[in-house]
Structures are given as structure tokens and as C-alpha cells.
Amino acid sequence: MTMAARQQFRQVGSARPSHLMFTGGIGGIVDLPNFAALVGGLDDWEPFYRNSDLRIVHEKRLLELTRKRLSQSVRELRLIPLSDDDDRALVGVPVRPFPSWLRCTRCNLLAPIWREDFTYVNYKRSRPDLAVFQHQNCGGRRGLDAKAVPARFVVVCDDGHLDEFPYEPFTHHGSTCPKAEYPILEMLDRAGNRQVDVRLTCKSCGAARNLKDAMGDTGRGELPNCRGRHPHLHEFGECRAPLQTIVVGASNLWFPQTVSVLSVPPDDEDRLRGLVAEHEEILRETVWALSAENLAPLMRHLPPLKPFLDFEPEQLRAAMDAHVPASAEQETTDLLAPEWKAFTAERPPSNEYFTVVRDADGVPEPLKPYFTDVVQAERLREVRAFHGFTRLDAPDPEDPDLVPVARISRGEPTWAPASEVFGEGIFLRIDPDALRAWETRVADEEAVERLQAAWRNFRRRRRSRRRGGEFDPMAGWPGIGYVVLHTLSHLLIRAIALDCGYNSASLSERIYYNGDDRAGLLIYTAVPDAEGTLGGLVSLAEAGSLTRIVGKALTEAGRCSSDPVCADHLPADPADSLHGAACHACLFVSETTCERGNRFLDRRFVTDLGDGLSFLEPWR
């Protein structure tokens, strides 16, 4: 991370690419050792790309979806710019100090950086961790410098705007100081353990106020309306929404909106469909109206048909008949469908990013009551694109437009940030017919109805202001079959982490479920270096190891150190939990591992907890 200071670009810290995708990317505040920094928008990133062609990541499916959700002007996905051995190189991610109001740790002076009460100091270029703001000559005594730290309060609105806390008008109850144009403020933080206890005092006129008056919903009336500020874009807009005070570092200050895909080679059907879409215009001008019989003699001689030499005329004719012109407004992309086809194909496709094998002996005999297919993924690549971020309310993966998403550039972006990780994994398939039959059997059970009611309450209570249209509280409900697969995935991840050599935070999951013919799960490593492809995970898919791990996972599912409280738990109003018999002791994993934030989990649907609702047979 790099910050402009005194007309030079100074390195002030470092972060992993995954940190900039999940924890504090564009528009997010990153806590550095001595101050906080805000990551700039794409417009600020441009100078930091040297040899940008080397940073382009090619993933067609993800690029198409990014164009639909972000902008049609997006031409490419770029990896996060990385630094090199030259610490003076103009590389990295641009940041700026934010909040810009600082407090002296010695005299409690509260002032913004632009008043020049505080000075940026970093005498050692190779030690960005020593970068600090100081209140020089604090107290008037020459040579005594005191460290300044960020004033830890900001204000945000539901539309994703972020601004400095209005310290001066708040201290003076909405007016200006009668004694000074630039009043001297003091912040005394008493660090109360029950509520905010921060006293603001104007040394110029004597006005004083406690910041607890600005906290919570009741404090909104004490704050001005939003100015529509996006500090990461250096701009103000039109917004008069109410503001809310929030502490820097709060978990709801920044939520990323990202989408990921696995790089899988297309099968012949997908490849032909893509070629027809790519050459649609020339095909319509030349051969669109021809039958398969008339296409046959032209396949090897007509230039527009040369890209289709690997296909039969009948295949080309059928693909043209089935082709539907693409529409930027349509949201029809199913990112998981190509992955499902690749994993379940009788002869799986293969390329440099995707290599899978299936045991010639099939599913081990002890596992046949549970799985219909086991696939060892020896090589995988996951590519993730960053589309924007939200504040106060997390984006909904099933409804991207539900929560207002903040822009990542001032104009139409021509590229989007991306990251890629390589790994290995285990794919397990479950009989979809048996799962559908079980769903029908338990549809009217109280446990199912309570989870569905919890989802309705969760949807209704979201902070986001819904923009017109008819609101469906059950939209995005994944289905009780998803709960089975998700719970099984977490049980296996916790068991695998003890054997594979990776910690559980280095593992990820993908659940393949559509309520019809798709029911399976993938557990894979997702780390940005070769450590994720050392074979420690894929070797556990061998018959003996996998049988032992599945047996251990299903046995452990029947007990929890929090039982009977955990085993009896079901969501109930007014609580907004979206899980049943699940807790940190038995099912929860890190947020980077779980694709749904530890929601939609319940052990009673995987193992018998005494109510007869388990989908899977007891382990013997």
C-alpha cells in the first residue's frame, strides 16, 4: 500500500491480495500500525500498473458477468498490483489517511490533518511500519513530539457514502464556534466498557458534548444529512439520507461484493455455443438460413465456417437454432453449471488449470449409501472479481440489486480488480432423486418451517431501503436440500483439516444444488501460492482415507460439547439466526471458508438427533 506524501509516493504498509478482496479493498479502511488508511478507487490505481498486460487474468465467464453487473465498458480483469524488490518502485495499492481527524495521545488535541497541527514522519524507507503522524512541539515545549492516532468515529448512510464525523458542529450543537473560525477541540476518551464515553470540548469557547449523544438510531437526529461523499473517489454527490455514527473497524463498515468461478475447460457443446455467439454477425450474413445438408459441402471451403471445422454440420445447425442473442439487461448466467458439467462428465475435460481423475473402482463400498460419485481434483484455479462494496448491510449473493452498491471509479470502469488462487480438491456427488424425495417427506416438519420463517424475518429486517417493486420475503431461499449439503460440507471440512496439513481457513467450499438434478459439494484449497497444490487434500479422496474421514465426520455430527442446547436449537423470533443445531463447537468455520457466512446449517438433517429428520443413514 502506497500513500502520497510530500510529493513522493511512500510505502506505508502491506496486505495480501485476498485482504483487498475480502477485508479492506476499494472504499475500505485498513488499520495500519499507527494510523488508518482508505483504499482509493480505480482512477487512483492506474499509475501503479507497470506492464499491466502481465497483470491481466483471462476468465471469459467471469468477465461476461462483470460486464453485466458492473459496466459494459469493462474490457479486462486485472490482478492486484504487487510490489517488487525495489522499495522505491511505483507499485502497490494507493491509499490516503482516513479518518483525517487525529487526536494527540499526550494533550488530546483533536484536529484535521489539513490544519498542519500534525506531521507525517517516516525516516526509514524500508520500515513502513514506522510511518506515523506526530504532534510536534506538543505543549509548547521544544523538541517534545507526541504520537497522533485517528479519531475513531466516522458517519455513513445506507447508500454507501462515508464522511468524517462532524466534530465542530456537533460539539457546538449544530452551530459554529462564536469565538474562533477554527476552534481548538479536545477529545477525552474515557474508554467506558458499557457505552461510548468520549467527551468533546471546545477550548476556544468552552462548549462541551459527549459522543454518546450521536450513537445509535436516536443519535441520527443529532447529525446533519448526508453530503453524498465518496472519499475513495474524491467526490461529493447528491444525497440527503440520514447519517449514522460508526466506529472505524466495525464489521459493518465495509462489505465486498465479489463473484468467483473455477476455471474449467468448456465441453464441445459449450465451446460450439460460444463460437456461434462470437461469430453470430458473420453467420447471419452468410449461412444462417442454410440447412445442415447445404452446410456440409461448405464447411471446409467457406471462410466464415473455418472456426467450426471440429463440428458436424448438424451440430452447427442445431447450435444456430438454439442460439438466443445476448442482452446486457438479462441476468441469466449460471456460473456453477459449467463447473458441475466438468466434474460430472463421464470423461472430464482437462487443461492447465483443471485436472480431475476418478477412481476406476468407483465409490468405495462403505460410502455408497452416501455418495454416487467421488472425484479427485488435482489442479484447480479460482478467479474472483471485485464488483463494488456496500456499507451497513451486506450484499445478497442471490439478489445483487437488493443493497445499494458503491461505485469503484468516477467514470465508466474499463477494468475490474481480480485475484486468482490455485489449489486441489475433493468433489462428492449425492443422489438428487433421493434428496428430492427426502425434501418432500420433511417439508411440513417444524424444523423446516422454523428455518423458512427465520429467512423471511431476516429478509424483512435488512437495513437496505428497498427500491420499489414487489418484495418477496422468500426470494433467495436456498432450499432445505442445500442445508443438508452445506452441513455435510462443514462436517467434512472440520474433519479434513485435522488430516490434510492445511488449516481450515485455507479450505473453501462450493455447494452445487438447484433443487432438481444438481446435488454435490466441492471442498478445495484456495491459497495464492504453490502451497495449495501439494497433494495433501486430494490424497484424502483415496478409498481408505475418505472412508475414515466421512465416518469420523458423521460420528462427530451426533455430538457437540454444547449439547443439549445446540441439539435443541431452532431459530425463533425475535432472534435472527439462520441455523438450527449448529454452533462454534460443532459446525461453524471461518468466514473465508464458508460461502454463506455460517448460515443454513443444521446437524439434525445429516445425523439422527432423536427426531428422525436425518437424510443420511447412520454411520456403521
Side-chain angles (χ1 to χ4, degrees):
M1 292 177 290
T2 307
M3 182 182 72
R6 295 181 179 178
Q7 308 304 318
Q8 297 180 359
F9 288 94
R10 300 288 185 90
Q11 184 178 346
V12 294
S14 61
R16 288 178 173 269
S18 58
H19 182 100
L20 297 169
M21 299 293 287
F22 290 104
T23 310
I26 294 176
I29 297 177
V30 181
D31 280 324
L32 299 176
N34 298 308
F35 61 93
L38 181 80
V39 181
L42 294 186
D43 310 273
D44 295 337
W45 288 40
E46 289 293 347
F48 293 84
Y49 272 102
R50 297 185 311 174
N51 299 323
S52 60
D53 290 346
L54 302 178
R55 305 301 299 165
I56 296 176
V57 57
H58 300 281
E59 184 52 59
K60 184 177 179 181
R61 289 191 296 135
L62 190 56
L63 179 60
E64 290 176 352
L65 181 62
T66 300
R67 286 170 174 164
K68 290 180 180 180
R69 293 190 178 179
L70 192 56
S71 172
Q72 287 295 316
S73 62
V74 175
R75 298 192 302 267
E76 59 197 20
L77 303 174
R78 293 186 189 175
L79 298 177
I80 304 295
L82 301 177
S83 61
D84 51 28
D85 294 334
D86 183 2
D87 60 287
R88 295 169 296 177
L90 187 59
V91 293
V93 174
V95 298
R96 54 179 297 194
F98 194 93
S100 62
W101 281 76
L102 305 179
R103 178 181 66 86
C104 175
T105 56
R106 181 178 179 275
C107 68
N108 293 317
L109 173 69
L110 177 67
I113 295 174
W114 55 266
R115 287 195 195 170
E116 300 183 352
D117 292 285
F118 305 107
T119 303
Y120 174 81
V121 177
N122 186 9
Y123 299 109
K124 296 184 179 180
R125 186 185 296 273
S126 61
R127 292 292 305 276
D129 57 299
L130 298 181
V132 66
F133 282 92
Q134 290 183 346
H135 184 199
Q136 296 184 330
N137 299 324
C138 177
R141 287 187 286 177
R142 184 175 180 80
L144 182 60
D145 300 334
K147 178 181 176 181
V149 297
R152 56 193 178 97
F153 300 95
V154 294
V155 289
V156 296
C157 81
D158 290 334
D159 285 327
H161 296 119
L162 172 69
D163 209 343
E164 305 278 0
F165 186 88
Y167 291 104
E168 290 184 5
F170 177 78
T171 303
H172 297 89
H173 296 268
S175 61
T176 58
C177 178
K179 298 293 183 65
E181 182 180 0
Y182 298 110
I184 300 175
L185 298 183
E186 179 185 75
M187 172 184 278
L188 182 60
D189 191 343
R190 299 174 181 173
N193 58 3
R194 296 186 61 185
Q195 61 181 352
V196 172
D197 190 8
V198 178
R199 185 172 180 81
L200 302 174
T201 303
C202 177
K203 307 297 286 185
S204 300
C205 69
R209 200 171 185 188
N210 199 302
L211 258 172
K212 66 182 179 182
D213 295 341
M215 304 303 294
D217 292 335
T218 57
R220 291 192 174 204
E222 303 295 331
L223 299 173
N225 290 331
C226 180
R227 301 188 296 172
R229 186 184 184 192
H230 281 311
H232 67 290
L233 301 179
H234 313 284
E235 71 174 16
F236 292 83
E238 296 182 3
C239 181
R240 303 295 295 170
L243 289 172
Q244 176 173 328
T245 304
I246 196 169
V247 178
V248 173
S251 60
N252 62 342
L253 182 57
W254 186 86
F255 296 100
Q257 186 181 65
T258 63
V259 179
S260 71
V261 300
L262 297 180
S263 298
V264 296
D267 60 11
D268 287 345
E269 181 182 348
D270 290 336
R271 189 159 63 91
L272 178 56
R273 187 185 303 113
L275 286 173
V276 169
E278 182 180 352
H279 299 85
E280 177 183 358
E281 184 175 352
I282 188 65
L283 290 175
R284 287 188 181 277
E285 292 176 356
T286 56
V287 300
W288 199 270
L290 299 181
S291 64
E293 292 77 8
N294 293 330
L295 283 172
L298 301 176
M299 290 292 286
R300 295 191 175 277
H301 304 290
L302 198 63
L305 296 181
K306 286 188 177 180
F308 303 92
L309 290 178
D310 294 337
F311 304 95
E312 297 297 329
E314 293 78 11
Q315 292 176 299
L316 176 57
R317 180 66 266 169
M320 290 191 294
D321 292 339
H323 177 69
V324 177
S327 171
E329 290 75 25
Q330 289 180 328
E331 182 66 47
T332 59
T333 305
D334 183 356
L335 293 179
L336 296 182
E339 300 172 16
W340 176 258
K341 291 175 66 175
F343 281 117
T344 59
E346 184 175 349
R347 298 179 60 186
S350 177
N351 64 11
E352 59 179 324
Y353 297 133
F354 185 82
T355 303
V356 300
V357 295
R358 185 179 284 114
D359 195 320
D361 295 330
V363 179
E365 191 64 33
L367 300 182
K368 287 185 177 179
Y370 309 99
F371 308 113
T372 60
D373 195 11
V374 175
V375 176
Q376 302 175 39
E378 297 180 344
R379 179 74 169 172
L380 295 173
R381 181 180 79 149
E382 180 189 43
V383 182
R384 183 176 300 272
F386 181 84
H387 291 166
F389 63 90
T390 66
R391 303 197 193 277
L392 297 180
D393 196 4
D396 189 330
E398 302 299 326
D399 189 358
D401 298 324
L402 177 65
V403 184
V405 179
R407 294 177 290 114
I408 59 176
S409 67
R410 289 189 289 273
E412 291 293 323
T414 58
W415 59 277
S419 67
E420 65 176 354
V421 294
F422 299 91
E424 54 179 316
I426 303 173
F427 174 80
L428 302 171
R429 188 178 183 182
I430 289 176
D431 184 359
D433 296 330
L435 188 57
R436 286 200 307 272
W438 174 83
E439 287 184 273
T440 301
R441 178 173 69 83
V442 302
D444 297 328
E445 295 288 342
E446 180 188 7
V448 176
E449 293 177 348
R450 293 270 287 271
L451 278 174
Q452 292 173 334
W455 176 246
R456 285 193 293 269
N457 291 334
F458 174 80
R459 291 267 297 171
R460 291 191 181 107
R461 292 170 180 170
R462 296 198 68 149
R463 289 193 56 92
S464 301
R465 301 198 304 265
R466 294 182 276 275
R467 269 73 169 171
E470 188 172 335
F471 177 70
D472 180 8
M474 287 304 293
W477 167 247
I480 202 64
Y482 178 94
V483 179
V484 171
L485 297 172
H486 196 204
T487 302
L488 179 60
S489 173
H490 278 226
L491 289 169
L492 292 173
I493 285 173
R494 292 170 68 99
I496 285 173
L498 300 176
D499 286 69
C500 70
Y502 307 113
N503 60 62
S504 62
S506 297
L507 301 177
S508 293
E509 65 179 1
R510 293 178 87 83
I511 308 300
Y512 300 92
Y513 174 79
N514 62 357
D516 185 15
D517 59 348
R518 191 186 301 172
L521 58 96
L522 171 70
I523 298 173
Y524 64 105
T525 56
V527 291
D529 51 34
E531 182 182 337
T533 58
L534 297 179
L537 176 59
V538 73
S539 63
L540 297 182
E542 297 175 359
S545 298
L546 186 60
T547 300
R548 174 176 52 82
I549 287 174
V550 172
K552 179 180 179 181
L554 293 180
T555 301
E556 292 294 325
R559 54 179 179 264
C560 172
S561 59
S562 297
D563 284 342
V565 176
C566 177
D568 294 338
H569 177 266
L570 280 172
D573 195 47
D576 58 357
S577 63
L578 288 172
H579 60 82
C583 68
H584 288 281
C586 60
L587 278 184
F588 290 175
V589 295
S590 65
E591 290 191 6
T592 56
T593 297
C594 178
E595 68 176 22
R596 296 303 291 264
N598 284 321
R599 301 183 179 118
F600 308 113
L601 298 167
D602 198 328
R603 288 185 292 134
R604 60 172 51 85
F605 298 136
V606 172
T607 191
D608 187 10
L609 296 183
D611 45 18
L613 297 180
S614 174
F615 166 68
L616 298 179
E617 297 180 12
W619 180 260
R620 293 183 176 84

